[in-house]
Amino acid sequence: MNITNVDDLESKHFSPHGGKGKIDMKFAFTKLKKKGKKSAWNFFGIAEFPIGATAGYHKHEGNDEWFYILAGEADVIIDGKGHSIKKGDIILTKDGSSHDIVNVKKKLVLIAIEVETGWISPQRYT
């Protein structure tokens, strides 16, 4: 079992995937593979996007990523199609898809989870 508290995580201030501006993100459980543990887990993260910041349009290859929106409003572009997102929304970017977070209208706070798809059974989630 692994337990950590968000207050104990170091915050990283960076521009992901060539996006505009900088976001703040705290990552948990990213070292499981580095410790030699078998895991499909890439990361669990809590991100804050200030108004004007973007994620940078990028393609997922070999992994799926979920966002759960805790606060704020923005747009997400998935495979070239735009969608408005707000508190309570859950977004899935599947392996092979591309996405970006843009047009942050209110400070966006989200949980991001990324897992490798090679570990997932053929009966995929929807």
Side-chain angles (χ1 to χ4, degrees):
M1 176 182 288
N2 290 291
I3 299 173
T4 191
N5 187 287
V6 69
D7 293 333
D8 296 332
L9 299 173
E10 180 182 337
S11 184
K12 295 185 179 185
H13 189 69
F14 68 108
S15 298
H17 310 289
K20 295 178 185 173
K22 292 191 177 191
I23 69 166
D24 288 310
M25 190 158 182
K26 293 182 175 187
F27 292 95
F29 309 123
T30 58
K31 296 180 183 175
L32 291 175
K33 289 182 186 175
K34 292 178 185 174
K35 292 180 180 178
K37 297 186 182 216
K38 286 187 171 185
S39 178
W41 195 261
N42 283 341
F43 68 81
F44 175 99
I46 299 175
E48 294 184 4
F49 285 73
I51 293 171
T54 69
Y57 198 72
H58 62 283
K59 185 173 185 174
H60 281 258
E61 295 184 15
N63 59 61
D64 291 339
E65 185 175 38
W66 291 264
F67 295 140
Y68 175 66
I69 309 303
L70 297 170
E73 295 177 18
D75 294 326
V76 65
I77 300 170
I78 301 175
D79 295 327
K81 186 174 178 187
H83 309 270
S84 293
I85 57 174
K86 65 185 182 322
K87 180 181 177 179
D89 287 343
I90 302 168
I91 298 101
L92 169 60
T93 302
K94 292 185 177 185
D95 184 2
S97 289
S98 299
H99 72 139
D100 194 357
I101 293 174
V102 299
N103 195 25
V104 177
K105 300 169 187 97
K106 292 183 183 176
K107 179 179 162 182
L108 189 68
V109 181
L110 60 84
I111 292 172
I113 298 171
E114 186 178 280
V115 297
E116 290 182 20
T117 53
W119 293 77
I120 309 285
S121 75
Q123 296 176 343
R124 299 283 304 257
Y125 38 79
T126 58

